[in-house]
Amino acid sequence: MNLSEALAGRRSIRSFKLEPVPENIIKEVLHAGILAPAPSNRQQWEAVVIQDRKIIERLYKDAGSQEQILHCQCLFVMIVDMEFNKENFSNVQATAAAVQNMQLKAVDIGYGSCCMAGIGDVQKIKNILEIPDPWLPVCFMMLGKPTEAPSAPARKELGEIYHFNKYSSKSERMQSSVFPKDWTLNQLRLHQKFVSRAYKMGVDYEFYDQEEIENIKDIVKENLVGKKKVLTLLGYDGTIIKNLDPMFKDYDVIDCELSQEAVDFVKSKTKNLKFTLFSDKIENVKDNSMDLIIIAFALEKIPTIDFMLKEAKRVLSKNGKILVFFKNKNSFYGAMYKGITGPLGVKHLEGFYIRSGPFSPISASMLKKDIEKLNLKILSQGGFFLVPAEVKIYNEKFAGYSKRHGKKLSVLKYGMKPVLGFSNMLFNITKSYNKPFMAVTKYFILEK
Ligand SMILES: Cc1cc2nc3c(=O)[nH]c(=O)nc-3n(C[C@H](O)[C@H](O)[C@H](O)COP(=O)(O)O)c2cc1C
């Protein structure tokens, strides 16, 4: 295999044959690592190579390493001498170069590999593997005979990364703020591109609880009666829309998204939709043509709610309705969001916000003002849940999260555990609540 073939053919492999990796292969791969460049040729990285299943299981169970390591027979734990790492993380850079060589060698000899930075609690990893200071585990590399052949994930265009002689900002940079008001629509499009490159956008967003989705389905079903033309606005990755899709069989439904990437994902999950894009307006949809417009948890993600509603009004037919579902700022959800973005300090996209993008719950009274300004009328409103259904999901995920972050977690974040447990209990007691006042999920039904 020549170098170009290895460069193009290397994929991150996460599923392996259940056979041990022979020692000569391990040595060959490590030797490729040694050939990599290193600052002053110091080569201050080493590898703890693990083939013992029990140790791999401990890394998963006790240190919160990713579950996929259980599927590999040979795990390289790459460690870096941190004492000589002061100048631009030079030893970490050298380790990255070594891992790249090792991954290319693996392809060359018919093996698959995956580099992982999400390794879990480094202190626990050090304890389990008896790694002394100043060594720091910085990444894992799984190695084995592949049992999958994934296709190449999308890459950036050359023009997106290329500067000549000096930095030229050709394109808008993606934001990192959690707050939609800091974003432009174009930056949101960049975020959708970014998430789609990570494949995650195609996977259902796991923070919508099924009970919430069922409630939404019921309300949409009631409002579909007697309608013909339906528009769904900014479904993002299709998690909600795919649940509505079976209801759309006998309707003429168009889904409007900010980016082609979002269209592609909604398309892949639904059968009954046509698609259009939002440029600075809803493209290819005539004035006064839509009988029902469904906006589900979309206004929370955009900077210009009034602008989006204005466009919805433009395409709404004379007797049509707009159905807006939103997370209520004046509810337990809003308080939780305040806690996360306030005392817990999450102001930039991290954790689940990387995937969802910017998001902030909506104040019903502010939304009412926008609605009134546009001369739209609120026909009726409703709501459900006093406690967010998501606490159930947060609760399940928290154990893994705290294991991964170990001692790095602040006392405040540790304190989340009992709070989440208690909230989950409250959710179960109050889940049949269905009034708008303080409801977590609210909806307005609007008309012209
Ligand atoms: C520094 C680094 C860290 C990574 N961390 C993880 C990880 O924690 N888990 C994982 O499954 N893949 C991880 N990957 C693999 C990337 O997801 C993968 O390289 C990327 O999606 C592109 O796919 P490809 O390697 O098949 O081209 C990592 C890759 C690099 C270079």
Side-chain angles (χ1 to χ4, degrees), residues 10-12 14 66 68 103 114-119 142 150-153 155 197-198:
R10 182 209 54 77
R11 289 278 68 76
S12 289
R14 300 176 177 89
Q66 291 172 31
Q68 61 194 7
Q103 291 200 276
C114 181
C115 168
M116 295 165 55
I119 57 178
M142 301 192 284
S151 51
R155 287 309 207 250
R197 274 199 297 266

Coordinates of all heavy atoms in Angstrom, one line a residue, residues 10-12 14 66 68 103 114-119 142 150-153 155 197-198, ligand 1:
R10 N -7.4 5.1 5.6 CA -7.5 5.0 7.1 C -8.9 5.5 7.6 O -9.3 6.5 7.2 CB -6.4 5.8 7.8 CG -6.4 5.6 9.3 CD -5.9 6.8 10.0 NE -6.6 8.1 9.6 CZ -7.8 8.4 10.0 NH1 -8.5 7.7 10.9 NH2 -8.3 9.5 9.6
R11 N -9.5 4.6 8.4 CA -10.8 5.1 9.0 C -10.7 4.8 10.5 O -9.9 3.9 10.9 CB -12.0 4.3 8.5 CG -12.4 4.6 7.1 CD -13.3 5.8 6.9 NE -12.7 7.1 7.2 CZ -11.8 7.7 6.4 NH1 -11.6 7.2 5.2 NH2 -11.3 8.8 6.7
S12 N -11.4 5.5 11.3 CA -11.5 5.1 12.7 C -12.4 3.9 12.8 O -13.5 3.9 12.4 CB -12.1 6.3 13.5 OG -11.2 7.3 13.5
R14 N -14.1 1.0 15.1 CA -14.6 0.8 16.5 C -15.2 -0.6 16.8 O -15.8 -0.8 17.8 CB -15.6 1.9 16.8 CG -15.0 3.3 16.7 CD -16.1 4.4 16.9 NE -15.5 5.8 16.8 CZ -15.4 6.5 15.7 NH1 -15.8 6.0 14.6 NH2 -14.8 7.7 15.7
Q66 N -14.7 5.2 27.4 CA -15.8 4.9 26.5 C -16.0 3.4 26.4 O -15.1 2.6 26.3 CB -15.6 5.5 25.1 CG -15.6 7.0 25.2 CD -15.2 7.6 23.9 OE1 -15.4 7.1 22.8 NE2 -14.6 8.8 24.0
Q68 N -16.8 1.5 24.1 CA -16.3 0.8 22.9 C -15.0 0.1 23.1 O -14.6 -0.8 22.4 CB -16.2 1.8 21.7 CG -15.3 2.9 21.9 CD -15.4 4.0 20.9 OE1 -16.3 4.0 20.1 NE2 -14.6 5.0 20.9
Q103 N -1.4 4.6 13.3 CA -2.7 4.4 12.6 C -2.4 4.0 11.2 O -3.1 3.1 10.6 CB -3.6 5.5 12.8 CG -4.1 5.7 14.2 CD -5.4 6.5 14.3 OE1 -5.4 7.8 14.3 NE2 -6.5 5.9 14.3
C114 N -8.4 3.1 16.3 CA -9.2 4.4 16.5 C -8.5 5.1 17.7 O -8.2 4.5 18.7 CB -10.6 4.1 16.9 SG -11.6 5.6 17.3
C115 N -8.2 6.4 17.4 CA -7.6 7.2 18.5 C -8.7 7.8 19.3 O -9.7 8.1 18.7 CB -6.8 8.3 17.8 SG -6.3 9.6 18.9
M116 N -8.6 7.8 20.6 CA -9.6 8.4 21.4 C -9.1 9.3 22.5 O -8.2 9.0 23.2 CB -10.3 7.2 22.2 CG -11.0 6.2 21.3 SD -11.4 4.8 22.3 CE -12.3 5.4 23.7
A117 N -9.6 10.6 22.5 CA -9.2 11.5 23.5 C -10.2 11.4 24.7 O -9.8 11.8 25.8 CB -9.2 12.9 22.9
G118 N -11.4 10.9 24.4 CA -12.3 10.8 25.5 C -12.0 9.5 26.3 O -12.7 8.5 26.1
I119 N -11.1 9.6 27.2 CA -10.6 8.4 27.8 C -11.1 8.2 29.2 O -11.0 7.1 29.8 CB -9.0 8.3 27.9 CG1 -8.4 9.6 28.6 CG2 -8.5 8.2 26.4 CD1 -6.9 9.5 28.7
M142 N -7.2 2.1 20.0 CA -7.6 0.7 19.9 C -7.0 0.1 18.6 O -6.9 0.8 17.6 CB -9.2 0.7 19.8 CG -9.9 1.3 20.9 SD -11.7 1.0 20.9 CE -12.3 2.0 19.6
P150 N -16.4 1.5 7.7 CA -17.2 2.7 7.6 C -16.7 3.5 6.4 O -15.6 3.5 6.0 CB -16.9 3.5 8.9 CG -15.7 2.8 9.5 CD -15.5 1.5 8.9
S151 N -17.7 4.3 5.8 CA -17.3 5.1 4.7 C -16.7 6.4 5.3 O -16.9 6.7 6.5 CB -18.6 5.5 3.9 OG -19.6 5.9 4.7
A152 N -16.0 7.1 4.5 CA -15.3 8.3 4.9 C -16.2 9.4 5.3 O -17.1 9.8 4.5 CB -14.3 8.8 3.9
P153 N -16.1 9.9 6.6 CA -17.0 11.0 6.9 C -16.6 12.3 6.2 O -15.4 12.4 5.8 CB -16.8 11.2 8.4 CG -15.7 10.3 8.8 CD -15.3 9.5 7.7
R155 N -15.3 15.8 4.9 CA -14.2 16.6 5.4 C -14.5 18.1 5.0 O -15.3 18.3 4.1 CB -12.9 16.2 4.7 CG -12.3 14.8 5.2 CD -12.2 14.9 6.7 NE -11.2 14.0 7.3 CZ -11.4 12.9 8.0 NH1 -12.6 12.5 8.2 NH2 -10.4 12.2 8.5
R197 N -20.7 16.8 10.2 CA -19.4 16.1 9.9 C -19.1 15.1 11.0 O -18.5 14.1 10.8 CB -18.3 17.2 9.9 CG -18.1 17.8 8.5 CD -16.7 18.5 8.4 NE -16.5 19.5 9.4 CZ -16.7 20.8 9.1 NH1 -17.1 21.2 7.9 NH2 -16.6 21.7 10.0
A198 N -19.6 15.4 12.2 CA -19.3 14.5 13.3 C -20.4 13.4 13.3 O -20.4 12.6 14.3 CB -19.4 15.2 14.6
Ligands
LIG1 C1 -7.3 13.5 18.9 C2 -8.5 12.6 18.5 C3 -9.4 12.3 19.5 C4 -10.4 11.4 19.1 N1 -11.3 11.0 20.1 C5 -12.2 10.1 19.9 C6 -13.0 9.5 20.9 O1 -12.9 9.9 22.1 N2 -13.9 8.6 20.6 C7 -14.1 8.1 19.3 O2 -14.9 7.2 19.1 N3 -13.3 8.6 18.3 C8 -12.4 9.6 18.5 N4 -11.6 10.0 17.5 C9 -11.8 9.6 16.1 C10 -12.6 10.6 15.4 O3 -13.9 10.6 15.7 C11 -12.4 10.4 13.9 O4 -11.0 10.5 13.5 C12 -13.2 11.3 13.0 O5 -14.6 11.2 13.2 C13 -12.9 11.2 11.5 O6 -13.2 9.8 11.1 P1 -12.0 9.0 10.4 O7 -10.9 8.8 11.4 O8 -12.6 7.7 10.1 O9 -11.5 9.7 9.2 C14 -10.6 10.9 17.8 C15 -9.6 11.3 16.9 C16 -8.6 12.2 17.2 C17 -7.6 12.6 16.2

